[in-house]
Amino acid sequence: MNSMNFFKEDEFWMREALKLADKASYNTAPNPSVGCIIVKDGKCIGMGATRAAGGFHAEVCALIDSKKNNHNVVGSTFYITLEPCSHYGKTPPCVDQIIKSSPIRVVLSMIDPNPLVSGNGIKKLRSSGIDVLIGVCHKEALLLNIGFFHRMIYSTPWVRLKTASSIDGRTALYNHKSKWITCDESRKDGHHWRARSSVILTGIGTILHDNPLLNVRYVDTPRQPYRAVIDDNFVIREDANIIDGSKVFIFTSIVDKEKEKRLSDRNVEVILLPNEKVPNHVDLSLVMRFFAEKCFNEVHVESGAGLNGKLLSERCIEELIMYVAPIFLGDAFPIAKLKNISNLEDALRFSIFDSINIGSDLRIRLYENSKWDFLFRTTSKVI
Amino acid sequence: MNSMNFFKEDEFWMREALKLADKASYNTAPNPSVGCIIVKDGKCIGMGATRAAGGFHAEVCALIDSKKNNHNVVGSTFYITLEPCSHYGKTPPCVDQIIKSSPIRVVLSMIDPNPLVSGNGIKKLRSSGIDVLIGVCHKEALLLNIGFFHRMIYSTPWVRLKTASSIDGRTALYNHKSKWITCDESRKDGHHWRARSSVILTGIGTILHDNPLLNVRYVDTPRQPYRAVIDDNFVIREDANIIDGSKVFIFTSIVDKEKEKRLSDRNVEVILLPNEKVPNHVDLSLVMRFFAEKCFNEVHVESGAGLNGKLLSERCIEELIMYVAPIFLGDAFPIAKLKNISNLEDALRFSIFDSINIGSDLRIRLYENSKWDFLFRTTSKVI
């Protein structure tokens, strides 16, 4: 990656392209969300982002935008947050459209790890005499579509666990009178991450105690994610708020054909995925495979100590996004119920991605080392 | 405060002066640590920082330094991290020395909240025709001597509680086999805060279980802080590592004249401070008054859940410095043992000062709102 070989201007325009992609990210699944900016003589003459699946890709949108405003793109520079596709999918290859428009230069955040593309788009551009620069804002671009890339490589979605707790790691008082521990701004930010995801996952304990809707309300979105519940013993109440007519998945280890039938009439899909080693428990890794088969890129988990603990212990979590209020609660519900360990070496270990202030809270992001490192290395390949 | 009225150059030189003050901070207690840089024609022609108590102040050190190198300070600019003193203490007033040297301009971080100085130094400089600018790097300068300013105003030291925990708020496994949860870099940073403090305070539980030395080892210091133990029932073992010949304070609620005598021969001062409302407990607020009478500016607490919880509940903590490792420990010792609450309004509330990565950990600083806000406002007075 020739990452040392770019200018502040390249970074500026790439950040603009990333903003477009970020805005589009609520609506592009199962495709990655991409942004494209066409620049000529220091001015943006076209911009676009991926449309909902089946619609135009970012590069084509940007070309249409520049044409609409009677700009001539010959000799321009394209800033794209992902290597353009070189194969026929639901739309023809973007790389051909770019070559036809005769830019002088294409700047990319990263190569596409999809084996159907990986480097081919770049080769094609270069063999047409176009100067290609790769790696500008690579990390940001990778994060934007981390679920897509993860699914391509590991055949499971990127699972993000969201927590809201006190600084001493407590998520609720024992009497459940603790709405809300974190501030308004944190909850709004949390809904951004809900909106990006394909599905919001919770456990039956949260459904029974908090009876949440688990939809996106604090940010505008053209699409609501699916919702899903891990309900080992199939005890969900049929008047739970989450059963509101929109699609809901319930994973269970217990058969109850009549209840299943009644729920199915209300757009609830009940999936039997018993864990063969642990009686009366759902197999969580099979749940993730199920999601991958549905082409879900990001799974957003908001749950209590029980499911959080199981997902963490079974290494189903790729990322944690933790909203932390600067308060002490003392003896109260923990973030995750985990089995006792007697050696520090057995502790579940992550890495710190970043921490920022949100309102009066701190937001800390952790990630699973080995997978992130592999994705980072794979997508920053020198070609 | 005319804070909008300064240039990048002023900020640059003030940061250099702050670095000098920071370096000197291990050794100036009970005095504040101050840095001074004299600049002429864009070059530093003299620099100095407060010497150990009774020694020269920063401004005089900087003047000596410039003289030593045959620089003429007439027409120069002084950058000082605190308003220069205008009264006779152990040394003559610095403000007179500055005026005698005929600078054209004096740039200050903040006014001195000490009623003996507060604004008088600035008035004297101005009435001598010297241009005075106040407020450059005010917050950083306030933080550097926060204990001194707090003691001046509240007659108690600034109490900083240091914790080292997992991201789920656990400080040790139940079997105590958990040295160390946080990384080397965090421990080194922790020793910097130990070194700045006047006294390192712990509880008897930590002494009994971990038997620590509680001295400064990972950073160089010309002075070791005092050490102190809250030992409600005076059960400390006389062979504890902390009793090593250097001064140690033990606060207790139990009289044992013979044990006191034996310990006193080994440089241990036993202080009887029973809490009149809670039998067999030390009165923690009286401990802080005791420290203030000793002119201790900063108290550094490193203890377990028991004392941490009591100090937090009794509102004895002005700041928390929390080293957090990105690991989950599940069921293990908490940061602070606190009594159960049934309303979020009863939670102990702080504000987030900042968070930074240290090695593989996160360091989060919290502060007590009302006192910090008052100190900030008082020292940014417009004059």
Side-chain angles (χ1 to χ4, degrees), chain A residues 167-170 173-175 177-181 312 320 322 324 326-331 334-336 338 340-344 347-352 355 357 360-362 364 366, chain B residues 167-170 173-175 177-181 312 320 322 324 326-331 334-336 338 340-344 347-352 355 357 360-362 364 366:
Chain A
I167 192 94
D168 56 343
R170 309 300 170 144
L173 297 178
Y174 287 137
N175 63 9
K177 283 188 188 165
S178 38
K179 271 192 174 178
W180 305 95
I181 287 176
L312 284 166
L320 287 112
M322 309 178 77
V324 181
I327 63 172
F328 283 84
L329 291 184
D331 198 18
I335 292 172
L338 295 167
N340 252 306
I341 58 169
S342 50
N343 269 301
L344 262 193
L348 296 166
R349 203 163 284 274
F350 291 85
S351 287
I352 292 166
S355 65
N357 290 339
S360 55
D361 300 332
L362 195 66
I364 305 171
L366 307 184
Chain B
I167 191 94
D168 56 343
R170 309 300 170 145
L173 297 178
Y174 287 137
N175 64 9
K177 282 188 187 163
S178 38
K179 271 193 176 175
W180 305 94
I181 287 176
L312 284 166
L320 286 112
M322 308 178 78
V324 181
I327 63 171
F328 283 83
L329 290 184
D331 198 18
I335 292 173
L338 295 166
N340 253 306
I341 57 168
S342 50
N343 270 300
L344 263 193
L348 295 167
R349 203 164 285 274
F350 291 85
S351 287
I352 292 167
S355 65
N357 291 340
S360 55
D361 300 332
L362 195 66
I364 306 171
L366 308 184

Side-chain angles (χ1 to χ4, degrees), chain B residues 40 302 359 381:
Chain B
K40 198 172 163 181
E302 286 195 33
K381 241 178 9 189

Side-chain angles (χ1 to χ4, degrees), chain B residues 10-67:
Chain B
D10 289 334
E11 201 180 308
F12 172 81
W13 289 115
M14 191 57 86
R15 289 201 185 280
E16 294 299 304
L18 281 165
K19 281 182 207 163
L20 294 176
D22 192 44
K23 267 191 199 162
S25 67
Y26 296 173
N27 207 26
T28 60
N31 289 338
S33 180
V34 179
C36 175
I37 299 250
I38 308 173
V39 174
K40 198 172 163 181
D41 302 329
K43 278 182 204 149
C44 168
I45 58 165
M47 55 169 78
T50 320
R51 301 265 171 87
F56 289 130
H57 286 189
E59 301 88 331
V60 175
C61 292
L63 279 168
I64 291 170
D65 184 48
S66 64
K67 193 169 284 177

Side-chain angles (χ1 to χ4, degrees), chain B residues 194-213:
Chain B
R194 280 189 182 183
R196 271 182 58 143
S197 72
S198 297
V199 63
I200 300 169
L201 176 68
T202 195
I204 186 66
T206 299
I207 296 292
L208 294 176
H209 283 111
D210 301 341
N211 201 11
L213 281 163

